[in-house]
Amino acid sequence: MTETTRPRVLIVFGGRSSEHEVSCATAAGILRAVDRTKWEVIPLGITRDGQWVRVADDPEALEFRDGRGQSVRAGRTRIALTPGGASLIELTYDADPSDPAARVVSVEDLGRVDVVMPLLHGPYGEDGTIQGLFEMADVRYVGCGVTSSAISMDKHLTKTVLAAAGIDVGSWELITPRQWEDDPQGCLDRLVPLGFPLFVKPCRAGSSIGISRVDCAEELATAVKEARNHDPRVIVEAGVSGREIECGVLGGRDSWRSGTAPLGEIEVPDGEFYDYELKYVDTEAIGLVCPASLPEPVAESIRSLAMEAFDALECEGLARVDFFYCEDDGRIVVNEVNTMPGFTPISMFPQMWAVGGLDYPALLDALLEEARSRDLGLR
């Protein structure tokens, strides 16, 4: 393809959530892998306070180094996405744009956008907010729509929808802000019947940020307060003793569907759980096994449940469905559904598809092509 005929892809990353650094690392992997002969790429970063800025096309500047993630930095320019024609403009200010006295001194037209790949994890990106913006701007984008993204981001709503579809999601309790403010002890008292261990989580966060494993009632208050540091809504889940199995799904609402990847398994050290440190810092302490060693009937059941969850939540494009498989009784429990799973070089989603014969660039092509094939407006 020539320079003028390549579709233009806006790679959006960073964002306002606690997963800002993870999003930057995901963008680094995408920028390295995308086929530049087929796609024209525009990297766009969102700062921690929500400013849109043009970012250098430099994967190395965005990836984890020495256990530390990277951040999007703001300057005197801002990017705006204009509705109707789905085009970008860059505004340059004579001072810090956050200064009310700052004036625009120049405007640059950056041209059209054919498709957006939003690599934002967590609130203000993976939760339907930015998807709504793209819908308003009439621009196609990779991944789930507004409703699906919002429900899947909220662990309580995800479990509610999947349970209504007859899918085992384990036992849990939700603590809302009003419940905690009105009667914190009452909230703690209704958690105890779930049994121990319990896992206390921010309801709308990912990458295991703010999660605590609790082994006794005395630890609950501290764990709830830690989760509330990241989200005023807190979910508390009963522990499930099982193997951690993950399933990657590709699919569209219509006929486009690639199905499920070979299953992957997370092996963590005894007595620990798959937290932020193990995911992104001390990665050598865990095992990522793909394909997972499972009896074929069990593997088929997990893949089938992954598709059922994908459809129940009305997902589009991609999702990673995480399970617990209990070997003692054969129970299969959906833990959560990630509508924008990590795409770092060590992430399970691209690794599972690679084992299935779809390498990183081909996986990105499939996602971008599916997004470009969608109708605009209500689907």
Side-chain angles (χ1 to χ4, degrees):
M1 291 186 175
T2 66
E3 181 71 24
T4 57
T5 60
R6 286 182 299 160
R8 303 187 84 208
V9 180
L10 187 66
I11 306 293
V12 181
F13 55 93
R16 296 171 58 188
S17 84
S18 58
E19 296 180 80
H20 181 102
E21 295 176 353
V22 178
S23 177
C24 291
T26 293
I30 298 293
L31 291 173
R32 288 188 189 281
V34 67
D35 183 354
R36 302 306 182 100
T37 67
K38 184 173 182 179
W39 308 98
E40 181 184 354
V41 173
I42 305 173
L44 187 153
I46 300 180
T47 66
R48 292 182 186 274
D49 63 355
Q51 301 297 326
W52 289 36
V53 298
R54 188 154 46 152
V55 176
D57 192 350
D58 181 8
E60 188 174 345
L62 298 171
E63 57 195 7
F64 274 81
R65 293 193 301 274
D66 301 323
R68 295 175 60 87
Q70 311 306 314
S71 298
V72 177
R73 307 291 183 184
R76 292 191 176 183
T77 61
R78 294 292 184 268
I79 299 292
L81 178 65
T82 62
S87 62
L88 292 175
I89 59 172
E90 183 173 49
L91 309 174
T92 301
Y93 292 78
D94 61 359
D96 185 337
S98 62
D99 183 344
R103 295 175 176 271
V104 175
V105 295
S106 67
V107 178
E108 181 181 356
D109 182 0
L110 300 182
R112 75 185 189 286
V113 174
D114 293 301
V115 62
V116 180
M117 192 162 200
L119 303 178
L120 301 164
H121 302 301
Y124 307 107
E126 196 179 348
D127 59 352
T129 49
I130 202 165
Q131 289 78 10
L133 174 64
F134 297 146
E135 295 283 355
M136 293 289 289
D138 273 342
V139 59
R140 294 174 174 86
Y141 56 93
V142 171
C144 295
V146 176
T147 303
S148 178
S149 297
I151 292 174
S152 300
M153 186 73 244
D154 188 304
K155 295 176 176 61
H156 166 68
L157 295 180
T158 298
K159 290 178 182 291
T160 300
V161 170
L162 295 184
I167 297 172
D168 189 350
V169 291
S171 300
W172 82 97
E173 288 281 350
L174 173 71
I175 301 175
T176 67
R178 177 175 295 178
Q179 289 169 350
W180 183 254
E181 291 162 5
D182 289 349
D183 186 11
Q185 188 57 52
C187 292
L188 299 178
D189 289 344
R190 63 184 166 89
L191 303 179
V192 175
L194 291 173
F196 294 94
L198 293 173
F199 289 87
V200 182
K201 306 178 178 181
C203 205
R204 295 163 293 186
S207 294
S208 298
I209 294 172
I211 293 180
S212 302
R213 171 182 166 137
V214 174
D215 294 302
C216 63
E218 291 73 21
E219 299 173 350
L220 278 171
T222 299
V224 171
K225 291 173 183 177
E226 170 58 22
R228 282 173 52 82
N229 287 334
H230 302 275
D231 188 345
R233 287 167 59 86
V234 175
I235 188 169
V236 182
E237 300 171 349
V240 177
S241 179
R243 295 165 61 182
E244 295 195 39
I245 307 296
E246 300 189 348
C247 183
V249 183
L250 294 179
R253 287 198 184 179
D254 300 319
S255 59
W256 188 92
R257 172 161 293 171
S258 296
T260 57
L263 302 178
E265 180 171 9
I266 307 296
E267 295 181 338
V268 300
D270 290 342
E272 298 190 41
F273 69 95
Y274 196 31
D275 62 5
Y276 186 92
E277 188 77 10
L278 290 177
K279 285 181 178 179
Y280 302 109
V281 182
D282 190 16
T283 57
E284 295 181 359
I286 62 170
L288 303 177
V289 180
C290 188
S293 178
L294 294 166
E296 185 53 36
V298 172
E300 183 56 37
S301 294
I302 292 175
R303 288 193 291 266
S304 177
L305 281 170
M307 292 305 310
E308 287 183 37
F310 191 89
D311 290 339
L313 294 167
E314 298 188 352
C315 295
E316 294 177 89
L318 75 162
R320 194 193 72 229
V321 187
D322 300 345
F323 294 87
F324 292 114
Y325 167 55
C326 308
E327 292 181 293
D328 291 344
D329 57 8
R331 185 184 180 198
I332 300 171
V333 180
V334 172
N335 181 28
E336 59 183 55
V337 178
N338 292 274
T339 57
M340 183 47 68
F343 266 91
T344 67
I346 61 173
S347 296
M348 181 63 90
F349 189 84
Q351 289 191 48
M352 290 188 289
W353 281 107
V355 171
L358 197 64
D359 65 18
Y360 209 160
L363 175 60
L364 296 178
D365 275 352
L367 291 169
L368 290 168
E369 290 290 4
E370 188 276 331
R372 291 188 69 213
S373 71
R374 297 180 189 175
D375 294 330
L376 293 170
L378 295 177
R379 295 188 293 282

